[in-house]
Each structure stands twice: as C-alpha cells, then as structure tokens.
C-alpha cells in the first residue's frame, strides 16, 4: 500500500467500469477521491502499463519506398533478360535493359515518395495537456503521463486523452462523433448503466479522442494507450490486412502469362532449331532475341508515368494519393461505403425550420438579411411571434457565434440558434445589451431544460426557456397564438406533441422555446410558461453531395451509408440525398446486422448504429460478391474499414490522424464530389493502361512472330536483337506513353464498373492482338523477302527494310487503338496531341538511326534507297488500313 493517498500498487482492473458505481471503481483502482495518486504510485503504474500513447504509425523509409518499386513480375522478367544477355556476351542489350529498370524505378520512387511525405505531413499533432489530481493538488501534466487510477479534472472544451469513468459531473456533454458517428454532443453523468449497453450509449464514460463541449466533471482513468477504445480500433487497423489493388493483381497476372508464353516459345524454337541441325550458339542468340522481343520493356515505365500523371491530376483536384496503383483502382469501384457525419453531412447543426402555432417557416436564407420569400420574413418586425421565438433561442444561450468564423464555441445546437438570429438580421450583442441577464438556470441533463432571467425594462423581467419539447410542454400552461398567450388545452398540447413526434421521426433534432413575463427575478423558472414554438435542426447534407451521388448512380456505382448515428437521422439524410433511387432506404440496424438476410443487406443503402468491427464485415460482404469497395470516412471509428476496403478515402480537413494513416487517398477539400472526379480519373487511367498494354503487346507479339517464323522456316533473322531492343525502348514506348497520357473518352462515366476479375487484356483482346500481330508480321516478312529476293539489296539492306517496315507499322498501328464506337476521324487517339508528338519524335529517331553513321553501325543498318523506302512505306501502311477496316466492321456489327 502506497502512503499518502490510500492507493495501492496492485489493483483490480475492470472490464466494464460503466456497469459499476463510481465509488466501487475508485476502490478497485485503489485511489482516494480527495487526494488522487502519489507520484510514487504514478511511476509504479507507468512502469507497468507504459505511457499513454497509441503505437506510432511507422513512417515509410526512403529504402522501403525504393524497394517497393521492384515488386513487379515485369521488372523481374526484365532483370532475367538482362542477366541472360550478360551471360551470353550481349553486353549492349544487357545494359540497355538495366537502364530501363533504372528509369522506371526512379520515376516511381520520386512520385511515390512525394505522396508518402505529403501524407505524413498531415499527421503532425501537438502535445496535449491534461489536469489531474495528485497528492491532493490539481496539476497539469502531458497526456502521455496519465496512468490507470489517475483522477482527471474536466471542463468544457477539453480533449479527452484517456478512457475515463465519470465520478461526478455537472451539465456535462461530449462530442463523440469521431468515435461513434453520433453527430450531436451527448449528455454525460455518473449514473451506472447496464453491462450490455453499446459504446455510443455509455453515458458515464468519456473516451480518448473525443471532446467535451460543455460542463465539468471529475473522472478516473480506466484505460490508457492501446487499452483505450481508440487503441483497440488502432489495433484493429494494424491487424486488418492491406488488400492488393486490382491493378497490381492484373499486372502480376499479365506478367505470369508473359513468363509462360515467353519460356514456351523460346524453348520450342530453340529446341526445334537444334534438332534440325542449326548451330547451338546461333539458336541461343535467337532465344535471347525472342526474349527481348516478348518482354515489353516499356510497360513498367509507361504504367508508372500514366499513374503518376493521374496522381498529379488528382492532387490538383484535391485528392492526395498515397500509392500510385490506388489511382486506377478507383476506376473499378462498384460500391462506395460512406460515413454520414462529416462526409455526407456538414457535421454542424443548422436550424432548418421554425414552427409557430399552425405556421411553418423554412429557413433558406444564406447571407444576413437577404432572405428568400419562403424563408424568414424580410419584415421580421411584422411577425412578432417569429421574432420572439428567435430571440429566445439567442438569449437563452451560452455559445458564441460570428458569421464566417471557424472559432465559434459552444454547443452546436446553441451555435445554430445564434446563426438563425444572424440570418434574421438580429444582432446578438445588441439583444443582450437590451435584455441583460439577471440569472441563469443552466442546462440540466435530468430536466433537459435551461432558462435565463433577463431585464426587459426597469420594473419587469422575462424568462427565456428552451429544452426538450416534452419537458418544456409539461411546464407550460399557455401557448403563443397571434401575439397572445392562450390556454394550453389538451387539443393544443396534442398538436405540439404530434408535430414534435412527426419532425423527430424525420430525423430532425427538436428544440422547444417558451417564455413568460415576471414582476420579480425570483421564483421557479419553469412554472406557468407560455409555449412559443419549435425549432427543427439538422446536420445538413454537404453541398454537391446529392449531385455526386447521382453521378455515381449513372456510373453504375452503389453508394451505401454506413454510420454509427441513429436510424431515423440516417434515413432522413438518405432521403434528402436520394441515396436510393426508389427512396425506399431500408435501414439495417447494427443490433440486427447478423440476423438480417444477405439479400436484404445487399439491397439496403443505409446501415445505422454500426460499430467499427461491423463495418469490416459489411465491406467483406460486398467483396465476397466480387465488388470493388471504396470506403470513405473521417472518424477514428472508420479507420479499420478504410484499410480493409479496396480503396480507403479519408477526409483531410476533418479527418482524424488514425483515419488518414489508414487511407489510400485523402481528400484535402473533404468533398464527396471529389470522389466522383477521382473515379472518372481512375477509369480513364485504366482505359489508357489497357490501350497501351494492348498496343505494346501487339507490337511485341509481332516481333516474336517475325523472329520465330523466320527461324522456324530457316530464313535469316529479319531483325536483330539490338534492333528489337531499340524498337521496344524508343518507337514502342513513346506512342504507348502518349496513349497513357490521353484525356479519355467523354462518356466514360456512363459505363458500368468493370468486373472485379476482369484482366487488363481479356480473351477478346488477345485474339485481336493475334490478328494485328499476324498482319504486321506478314508485312515485315514480305518487305524482307522482297528486299532479299527481288531487289537484291543484300542481307543488311533487307534487314534494314524489315526493321523500318516494323518500326513504321508499329507507329501507324497506334491509330488502331481508338475505341470501337468512335469515328474514324474524330476519336480520343486522333485528338491526343501527345500521339502526334510521339510519332514525329519517333520518325526523327528512326531517321537518326539510319543516317547517323555511329547509330547505323551499332544497329547494323544501311542507308535505304528510294525504291527501298517505297516498299517500306507501302508495307508499313497495310496494318493501319486493315485495322481501320477491322474496327469499322466491328462497329457496324455492334
């Protein structure tokens, strides 16, 4: 037993402190209410439990970002090709492939490192202090120094830095939206609650990461660090496995296919050649040529640059991407699971309606006294009942409000009432000056009311009261009607109760207003009140969200609300945003999640009272249905789901540190509409990747076919290994890169999401690659044969002709990458300025390779004569003409 405080070093930990009386909790933690812990006891407990800190998010080192660039099957293939080239003395080819690997690595490394460091910069937080009672004195300590059993002194505005069991409280309210999703502050007290009550309804607990909005309290620390609810969620994030993005999976699958195809073709041709009596060394060199031809060296570079461009585009549109491949994954998104509070809504209360007797006023004005006709009356002086109602909300109020300021303090409901007065053109300071406060009956969570006594003139006073409608009505004997207080009979009372129930059922938070005149400042604040009216408040939908949801619907994306808030509130917001096209908005309640059949859940657009673990299960349910799931959120309670989803999207401004660290993408403007922009960009990127992969593979397969067929039938090689590498790194890469930088089809957001299992190249694409490759191969072999047999230009001349035919055929082939439904002359490829630039550049490089002696010697090329050029041009145009006719035929046949 430690001396001085009555505390003890060995104490009994409590699993459910909310289910025990405060005195029993203090006893089990061995702490004296008047003295607190001693410094000796604090040190012993800190040694046992550690500092009050969540495990730090491990910063990605430069080396880990660098190493990540090599985790690709394609890069592995290139490395093998380089090693094989070195082993057989093909030093130029080997070094050329290594340069490709180096360029790709450098681009990806620089781009991803910038994104990683930008994300880490968002996570900088300052040190938080906490007031505790130790050795009989109240002192301030760093939050990290708290230990179980510490007595914490709490006041309005404090951030809660550990899990606390309230011992005593006065008018205490806390904002727990980051943890539970509840948009409004909840009242807190010291009363015992049942063992099985959910976290959002533990009224005697305060949790790490939440904030006190009003009142004061004394509480005992019952959980620190990773033992807090926040810590448990953080652990859940750590144990949730990162899902590989669809693009990573697709590129890996393509890489494996290339391995099988490359190895198969090389072995077949090499062994066939050896068995037919050809020189072994020649066949090995031919195998290296085939390996060089089969592997698209430009693929990783173009893929990385295309993704990097997408990342930059999104950054300019307020979406910060943590990982390059995440950009494309957005385009495959078929389900968006979104939090409500702060994502779909503003996370701030707004008065939307004022109800007087048989009169409803919609509050639609936005700037001062500029009110719409169906908003607050422009001539508010002509409607004294309305003015009184607004004045009650402003005077019976402890919040501060300044239009346009982000420093408004107090209960969000009271701030909303002050904003309502501002919209009506009533000056709060002037109002308080004219009606100075004499005394206040502060809000009491038991009575659910508050009142102030204010002077109206020298001899009289007015009581202004507000609170829960049922409580206020119970204390009223009259109600205001056309400027007069009439008797509140059963009919009038039922009118107000029915109206309150109706609006509450629509998801509104209701506040009742009442008043009375008095000759003295003494007496019961709540006796004989005159009921004035009701104010309906709502955490309103964010601007642009409704239109963004409609855009998602047109794109075939299902938007699902997953919130910890109450069912009726969630239903109302869903109806406002038309989350369900049929406005059915079936709500699945968290308490019945596992009892509800899967079909009902899959057809629902609203999940309410959902805890962090249940969010993971909901996401997994959609993933099991082969859906690509994006999860948006800003709270601590969203973090595990953000990590579990295929794409986690966190809010940068309002998002918590834990949420940002778990996400793949952070929206710096917190706008849901930015997600639609990101999805569109993701779809464009995937289509661009598909186009340039299709282009590269059709070019490379044609090269394999040229070398393979020539070798198989006993012809000399029409194109040499170094020439193939030149084409793969120069004339293939630049057009492919131009395709990767395209702006995309204008109707892309009217298409349905891709199937989650759809590869980059489908069977249909491979068949087309085969057709195009055959046509290109035939043209090249024909040019080679004409040069060798008919024109008698010699081996070097014929190889030069086949080299140029292949190079130019591949350049013109880029125009065959237009969409099937597009026009021959106006399409995304023709409109792409980068394509035309790439063609001019590549033609220039080809002419350099031909006419600059050094390059011509290295590549074994000769200067072509005019007849040679004529054959090259005719043969190189055949694949383009064939391709355009082929696309037109497909378009005609649907």
């Amino acid at each position: 037993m430690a001396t001085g405080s009555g505390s003890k070093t060995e104490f009994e930990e409590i699993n459910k402190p909310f289910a025990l009386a405060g005195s029993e909790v203090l006893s089990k933690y061995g702490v004296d209410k008047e003295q607190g812990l001693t410094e000796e006891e604090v040190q012993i407990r800190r040694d046992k439990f550690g500092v009050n800190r969540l495990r730090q998010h491990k910063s990605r080192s430069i080396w880990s970002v660098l190493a990540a660039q090599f985790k690709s099957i394609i890069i592995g293939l290139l490395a093998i090709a380089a090693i094989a080239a070195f082993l057989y003395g093909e030093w130029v080819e080997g070094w050329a492939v290594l340069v490709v690997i180096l360029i790709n690595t450098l681009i990806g490394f620089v781009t991803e490192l910038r994104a990683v460091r930008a994300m880490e910069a968002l996570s900088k937080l300052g040190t938080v202090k906490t007031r505790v009672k130790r050795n009989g004195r109240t002192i301030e300590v760093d939050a990290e120094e708290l230990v179980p059993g510490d007595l914490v002194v709490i006041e309005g505005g404090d951030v809660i830095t550990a899990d606390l069991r309230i011992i005593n409280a006065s008018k205490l309210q806390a904002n727990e939206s980051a943890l539970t999703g509840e948009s409004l502050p909840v009242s807190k007290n010291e009363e015992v609650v049942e063992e099985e009550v959910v976290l959002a309804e533990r009224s005697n607990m305060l949790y790490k990461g939440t904030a006190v909005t009003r009142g004061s309290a004394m509480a005992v620390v019952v959980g620190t660090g990773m033992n807090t609810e926040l810590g448990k969620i953080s652990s859940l994030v750590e144990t949730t496995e990162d899902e590989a993005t669809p693009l990573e999976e697709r590129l890996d699958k393509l890489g494996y296919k290339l391995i099988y195809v490359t190895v198969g073709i090389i072995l077949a041709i090499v062994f066939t050649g050896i068995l037919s009596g050809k020189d072994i060394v020649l066949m090995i060199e031919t195998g290296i040529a085939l390996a060089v031809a089969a592997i698209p060296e430009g693929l990783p570079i173009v893929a990385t640059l295309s993704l990097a461009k997408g990342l930059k585009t999104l950054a300019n549109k307020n979406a910060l991407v943590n990982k390059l491949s995440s950009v494309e994954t957005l385009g495959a998104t078929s389900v968006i699971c979104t939090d409500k509070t702060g994502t779909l809504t503003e996370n701030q209360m707004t008065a939307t309606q004022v109800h007087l007797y048989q009169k409803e006023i919609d509050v639609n004005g936005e700037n001062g006294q500029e009110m719409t006709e169906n908003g607050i009356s422009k001539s508010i002086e002509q409607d004294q009942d309305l003015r009184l109602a607004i004045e009650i909300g402003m005077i019976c109020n402890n919040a501060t409000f300044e239009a346009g300021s982000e420093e408004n303090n107090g209960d969000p409901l009271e701030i909303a009432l002050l904003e309502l007065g501002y919209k009506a053109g009533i000056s709060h300071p002037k109002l308080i000056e004219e009606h100075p406060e004499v005394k206040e009956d502060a809000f009491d969570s038991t009575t659910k009311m508050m009142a102030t006594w204010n002077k109206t003139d020298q001899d009289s006073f007015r009581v202004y009261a507000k609170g829960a409608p049922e409580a206020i009505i119970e204390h009223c004997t009259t109600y205001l009607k056309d400027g007069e207080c009439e008797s509140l009979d059963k009919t009038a009372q039922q009118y107000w109760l029915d109206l309150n129930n109706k609006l509450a059922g629509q998801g509104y938070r209701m506040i009742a207003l009442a008043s009375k005149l008095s000759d003295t400042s003494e007496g019961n604040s709540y006796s004989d009140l005159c009921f004035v009216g009701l104010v309906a408040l709502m955490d309103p939908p964010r601007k642009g969200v409704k239109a963004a949801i409609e855009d998602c619907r047109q794109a075939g994306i299902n938007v699902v609300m997953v919130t910890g808030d109450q069912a009726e509130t969630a239903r109302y917001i869903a109806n406002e945003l038309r989350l369900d096209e049929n406005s059915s908005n079936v709500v699945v309640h968290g308490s019945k999640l596992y009892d509800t059949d899967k079909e009902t859940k899959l057809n629902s657009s609203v999940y309410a009272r959902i805890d962090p673990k249940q969010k993971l299960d909901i996401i997994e349910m959609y993933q099991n249905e082969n859906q690509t799931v994006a999860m948006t959120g800003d709270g601590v309670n969203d973090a595990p789901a953000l990590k579990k989803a295929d794409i986690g999207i966190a809010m940068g401004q309002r998002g918590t540190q834990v949420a940002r660290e778990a996400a793949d993408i952070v929206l710096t403007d917190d706008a849901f509409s930015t997600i639609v922009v990101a999805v569109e960009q993701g779809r464009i990127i995937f289509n661009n990747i598909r186009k340039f992969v299709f282009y590269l593979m059709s070019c490379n397969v044609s090269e394999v076919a040229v070398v393979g067929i020539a070798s198989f039938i006993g012809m000399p090689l029409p194109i040499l290994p170094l020439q193939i590498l030149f084409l793969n790194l120069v004339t293939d890469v630049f057009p492919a890169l131009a395709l990767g930088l395209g702006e995309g089809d204008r109707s892309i957001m009217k298409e349905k999401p891709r199937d989650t299992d759809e590869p980059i190249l489908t069977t249909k694409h491979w068949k087309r690659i085969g057709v195009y490759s055959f046509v290109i191969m035939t043209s090249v072999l024909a040019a080679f044969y004409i040069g060798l047999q008919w024109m008698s230009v010699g081996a070097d001349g014929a190889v030069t002709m086949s080299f140029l035919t292949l190079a130019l055929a591949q350049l013109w082939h880029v125009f065959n990458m237009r969409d099937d439904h597009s026009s021959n002359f106006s399409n995304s490829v023709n409109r792409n300025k980068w394509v035309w630039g790439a063609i001019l550049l590549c033609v220039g490089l080809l002419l350099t390779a031909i006419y600059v002696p050094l390059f011509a010697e290295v590549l074994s090329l000769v200067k072509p004569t005019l007849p040679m050029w004529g054959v090259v041009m005719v043969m190189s145009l055949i694949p383009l003409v064939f391709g355009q006719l082929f696309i037109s035929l497909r378009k005609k046949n649907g």
Side-chain angles (χ1 to χ4, degrees), residues 722-743:
L722 197 56
Q723 293 172 352
I724 294 173
L725 194 59
F726 177 85
L727 294 179
N728 285 1
L729 297 182
V730 179
T731 57
D732 287 358
V733 167
F734 289 112
L737 180 58
L739 291 172
L741 300 179
E743 297 300 323

Side-chain angles (χ1 to χ4, degrees), residues 856-875:
E857 183 179 350
V858 171
L859 291 172
S860 302
L861 299 171
V862 299
K863 293 180 181 179
T865 63
L866 192 60
M868 291 168 65
W869 271 117
V871 173
V872 166
M873 293 305 297
V874 171
M875 290 300 170

Side-chain angles (χ1 to χ4, degrees), residues 175-185 338-349 412 509 538-542 561-566 569-570 573 577 607 609 615 631-638 651 654-656 670:
N175 185 337
E176 296 182 332
S177 61
L179 190 63
T180 66
E182 169 65 63
S183 56
L184 284 174
T338 174
D339 185 33
K340 177 186 72 69
T341 307
T343 305
L344 298 180
T345 67
E346 295 285 359
N347 196 19
Q348 63 182 38
M349 297 305 294
R509 190 59 59 99
M538 177 62 68
D539 179 10
R542 301 196 71 187
M561 182 195 301
V562 183
T563 179
D565 211 341
Q566 305 204 28
T569 305
I573 294 297
L577 296 174
Y607 293 80
R609 280 304 195 207
K615 289 186 179 183
M631 170 71 194
T632 75
D634 60 355
V636 172
N637 59 327
D638 299 319
M651 302 298 150
R654 305 184 190 192
T656 58
D670 284 12

Side-chain angles (χ1 to χ4, degrees), residues 154 156-158 160 166 169-190 193 197-207 210-217 341 347 349 410-413 443-446 448 509 564-566 569 609:
I154 299 161
D158 286 352
I160 303 302
I166 299 168
S170 173
K171 304 172 180 59
L172 188 67
Q173 288 187 331
N175 185 337
E176 296 182 332
S177 61
L179 190 63
T180 66
E182 169 65 63
S183 56
L184 284 174
V186 291
S187 296
K188 297 287 184 176
N189 56 55
E190 64 272 18
V193 297
V197 73
V198 297
L199 185 146
E201 295 172 3
R202 295 172 192 170
S203 57
N204 58 15
M205 295 289 296
L206 293 168
Y207 291 105
T210 63
V212 174
T213 57
R214 71 184 302 174
S216 59
T341 307
N347 196 19
M349 297 305 294
D411 188 309
L413 285 173
F443 178 82
D444 190 314
S445 59
T446 303
K448 298 182 180 179
R509 190 59 59 99
D565 211 341
Q566 305 204 28
T569 305
R609 280 304 195 207

Side-chain angles (χ1 to χ4, degrees), residues 1-8 26 29-42 45 131-139 147-153 167 218-221:
M1 179 80 70
T3 60
S5 69
S7 60
K8 52 187 179 182
L26 290 175
Y29 276 96
V31 58
D32 184 275
K33 184 177 178 181
E34 301 303 323
Q35 295 294 315
L37 299 176
T38 65
E39 289 301 328
E40 175 190 5
E41 184 67 31
V42 168
R45 298 187 185 203
R131 289 181 298 279
V132 298
K133 182 177 282 190
R134 291 179 182 170
N135 294 317
R137 296 186 302 113
T138 300
I139 60 173
V147 297
D150 253 329
L151 288 178
V152 178
V153 180
I167 303 303
M218 170 79 73
V220 60
V221 175

Side-chain angles (χ1 to χ4, degrees), residues 96-114:
V97 174
L98 288 182
V99 168
V100 172
I101 295 174
L102 179 62
I103 293 172
N104 177 76
T105 300
L106 186 62
I107 295 169
F109 170 71
V110 171
T111 307
E112 194 157 317
L113 183 64
R114 285 177 178 174

